[in-house]
Amino acid sequence: MSPAGGRTLLEVAVALKTRRAVSGESRVVLRDVGFSLGEGEVCALLGPSGCGKTTLLRLIAGLDKEFEGAVTLPARRRIGMVFQEPRLLPWRSVAENLRIAGAPPGKDLDAIVATLGLAGHLDHFPGELSLGLARRVAIARAFAIAPDLLILDEPFASLDAILARRLRTELTSLVERLRSTTLIVTHDVDEAISLADRIVVLSPAPGRVIADRRIETPRLALTPEAAADIRAELAAMMAAAHGG
Amino acid sequence: MPIRLASLLVLLVLWQWGSGLLGSRALPPPLAVLAVVGAEARSGALAVNLGATLARVIASFTLAMALGAALGLVMGRSKMADQLLDPWLIVLLNLPALVIIVLAYIWVGLNETAAIGAVALNKLPNTAVTVREGARALDRGLDEMARIFALGRGARLRHVILPQLAPYLAAATRSGLSLVWKIVLVVELLGRPNGVGFEIGVAFQLFDVTRLLAYALPFVGLMLAMETFIVQPIERHVSRWRPHPA
Ligand SMILES: Nc1ncnc2c1ncn2[C@@H]1O[C@H](COP(=O)(O)OP(=O)(O)OP(=O)(O)O)[C@@H](O)[C@H]1O
Ligand SMILES: [Mg+2]
């Protein structure tokens, strides 16, 4: 059971996922990936580029059903997803993008918009936003529907370090407030350690789980020393997996 | 704008000059045509005929756009539907307009249903092919976004699909409007007791070029006005989100 103490929300048991390349040959992308998340748990999914992180998220979100194994989620649940690209509707304003995705207008939405610094951009169209702003709109959209499961695919990639750090803090405070179960993909170990209370590491392709580590200390109380310990431990596990 | 006006003026001058050259029976001068337009307008015949033709254009255009767009969307999204319906579409695309019109009059009768249906059937494959192109190019990423956020059917159509099809619908509208009104005139010539096409048929029997132009030109003007004051503003409205180049 998760440290958050709740029931299990998500159970992943992917035995095999293959993908067919244009050339016709099929290759294994994921093999024996299994873990489960309790309600309110924040899990970071780590792994090198191309190891199948996005593929796994698509299986979990139900966008891809062609695989061996099972993904179990409650029948009635809302998923909020931040894709690797913002995926906003270019022909609708920021405010409309949020509304169309199902964000109920009100105090909560206003708070999310304010936290992410979007208040001045509600009337803009996505084409008028910088990539960083568009990313923030995508994050706001996922949060604003108060999801049971929040899935984020490298939401801070290709943003400058300062902005990424700020958005991480904002993400943490939003997760604290809404208590959504969260699965965040990253290939930044420090980002994983600072955000999550659970870290799952995938091997290089074909992806399988090579480490599944709980962080017992509450996120905000994590000392630099403790973080360094965890980092060293993860590095050891990854090295062992590569060697073996 | 001044250039367009000057260009139009040159056309008028050429017309006047040509009429002197060819004789007013073959090409009546602008003022003679204008006089007939005035007479027909005063008697009310012009309005009745223009109105009848316009109503047929709008009815058959709407029908062809709605059915053609739906067909194109289905064919663009489903491989099965595409393979099933594509041969029909090719046959329809290559059937001469005249054949469809005559068959419609023979099978359905010399009535309004046959006339409008025949015109719509001529335009429909064209719309379907254009919209199918658009449906094939629909953004899969946005489609997935719509699925994740559980958008309803209506919202998906309005906010995700139609905006992506807008340029294709605009292209179909542009080519469609001119195609439809040209075919409507033929339909009227062959089997309707009123409308611009019917009047042109009468003028043909009398070899009356003045009368022919007196009906054709106001109608061209009407269609141009529709294009400028209805189609173009709608196009501008649906593409207002595109960032302006700096
Ligand atoms: N459309 C596709 N068809 C075939 N193979 C694909 C397709 N998309 C991805 N793959 C393969 O699946 C594997 C996993 O891809 P995936 O996008 O899940 O990686 P990722 O871990 O998200 O990488 P990144 O960190 O770069 O986003 C890759 O090796 C890739 O070559
Ligand atoms: Mg990825």
Side-chain angles (χ1 to χ4, degrees):
Chain A
M1 281 289 101
S2 71
R7 290 155 298 163
T8 304
L9 183 104
L10 166 71
E11 230 178 292
V12 180
V14 176
L16 184 68
K17 167 69 190 169
T18 56
R19 276 192 115 149
R20 197 170 292 282
V22 177
S23 65
E25 64 180 310
S26 83
R27 37 193 276 243
V28 178
V29 178
L30 295 168
R31 168 166 285 153
D32 294 327
V33 176
F35 60 92
S36 58
L37 294 187
E39 272 177 10
E41 200 170 3
V42 178
C43 174
L45 191 60
L46 265 172
S49 183
C51 74
K53 303 182 296 296
T54 300
T55 307
L56 180 59
L57 292 190
R58 289 170 47 85
L59 301 186
I60 293 172
L63 291 173
D64 185 349
K65 300 214 154 67
E66 288 175 16
F67 66 101
E68 286 172 32
V71 168
T72 319
L73 272 167
R76 292 178 54 79
R77 82 288 189 228
R78 307 195 79 175
I79 296 178
M81 188 156 176
V82 178
F83 297 91
Q84 210 161 351
E85 329 78 46
R87 298 203 188 173
L88 305 174
L89 299 170
W91 37 82
R92 296 288 181 265
S93 69
V94 169
E96 287 170 323
N97 264 283
L98 296 176
R99 186 180 52 76
I100 290 165
K107 270 208 331 278
D108 287 346
L109 180 59
D110 295 345
I112 291 168
V113 164
T115 307
L116 292 170
L118 294 170
H121 298 284
L122 286 175
D123 293 333
H124 292 164
F125 286 99
E128 301 171 297
L129 305 178
S130 67
L131 180 60
L133 275 169
R135 282 245 159 90
R136 277 187 263 173
V137 176
I139 294 172
R141 177 176 66 184
F143 271 108
I145 64 166
D148 304 301
L149 177 63
L150 181 64
I151 299 177
L152 304 112
D153 196 349
E154 299 189 42
F156 311 126
S158 80
L159 297 182
D160 69 72
I162 298 170
L163 181 59
R165 175 135 28 93
R166 235 193 70 212
L167 288 182
R168 271 199 288 274
T169 327
E170 284 159 4
L171 181 71
T172 307
S173 72
L174 284 169
V175 169
E176 291 282 321
R177 194 144 55 84
L178 294 172
R179 299 245 137 258
S180 304
T181 309
T182 304
L183 185 57
I184 178 169
V185 157
T186 171
H187 35 218
D188 179 341
V189 180
D190 294 318
E191 178 169 293
I193 294 172
S194 71
L195 280 175
D197 34 40
R198 168 93 176 273
I199 296 177
V200 172
V201 186
L202 294 184
S203 68
R208 62 198 161 76
V209 178
I210 54 174
D212 185 346
R213 168 75 156 85
R214 288 228 154 79
I215 302 175
E216 309 294 348
T217 345
R219 269 188 294 283
L220 301 173
L222 200 66
T223 59
E225 296 79 46
D229 284 350
I230 296 169
R231 192 180 315 117
E233 192 186 317
L234 287 173
M237 285 193 219
M238 284 186 237
H242 280 271
Chain B
M1 213 54 200
I3 296 180
R4 278 165 178 262
L5 234 86
S7 159
L8 207 61
L9 216 64
V10 170
L11 185 68
L12 278 174
V13 169
L14 277 179
W15 177 2
Q16 178 76 38
W17 177 72
S19 142
L21 210 67
L22 299 171
S24 66
R25 197 171 150 68
L27 182 59
L31 280 179
V33 173
L34 194 64
V36 176
V37 171
E40 292 292 306
R42 272 191 300 282
S43 78
L46 187 70
V48 168
N49 286 309
L50 282 186
T53 302
L54 191 62
R56 287 184 190 117
V57 167
I58 290 173
S60 49
F61 174 77
T62 310
L63 197 64
M65 284 300 285
L67 294 182
L71 192 67
L73 187 57
V74 170
M75 290 177 75
R77 305 207 88 189
S78 147
K79 227 181 182 129
M80 168 97 162
D82 192 29
Q83 285 174 348
L84 209 67
L85 297 170
D86 191 55
W88 298 33
L89 211 57
I90 291 176
V91 170
L92 212 54
L93 264 175
N94 288 292
L95 217 53
L98 197 56
V99 174
I100 297 179
I101 295 165
V102 172
L103 281 179
Y105 276 146
I106 292 175
W107 288 341
V108 183
L110 282 171
N111 54 40
E112 213 60 59
T113 314
I116 290 171
V119 179
L121 211 53
N122 269 298
K123 166 63 189 157
L124 186 147
N126 192 296
T127 306
V129 167
T130 310
V131 172
R132 176 175 63 182
E133 233 26 73
R136 280 178 181 158
L138 285 177
D139 188 329
R140 305 236 336 251
L142 292 180
D143 221 42
E144 290 183 353
M145 185 280 290
R147 271 167 66 193
I148 286 288
F149 288 95
L151 266 63
R153 246 171 200 285
R156 225 179 265 206
L157 196 64
R158 248 183 70 215
H159 301 301
V160 184
I161 294 178
L162 282 182
Q164 295 184 70
L165 292 183
Y168 297 87
L169 289 171
T173 302
R174 227 169 237 286
S175 69
L177 214 51
S178 57
L179 181 70
V180 162
W181 78 256
K182 284 168 192 162
I183 300 176
V184 164
L185 296 200
V186 179
V187 168
E188 289 175 342
L189 175 81
L190 288 177
R192 294 283 74 213
N194 54 23
V196 175
F198 169 80
E199 289 297 333
I200 287 174
V202 171
F204 176 44
Q205 275 156 22
L206 303 172
F207 269 64
D208 186 346
V209 181
T210 319
R211 191 179 174 76
L212 192 154
L213 290 177
Y215 270 96
L217 293 182
F219 192 67
V220 173
L222 191 62
M223 295 317 293
L224 278 180
M226 266 183 70
E227 161 88 24
T228 316
F229 297 111
I230 300 177
V231 179
Q232 283 178 11
I234 291 178
E235 257 181 44
R236 270 198 298 279
H237 179 76
V238 298
S239 63
R240 73 198 182 290
W241 57 273
R242 284 180 207 282
H244 303 286

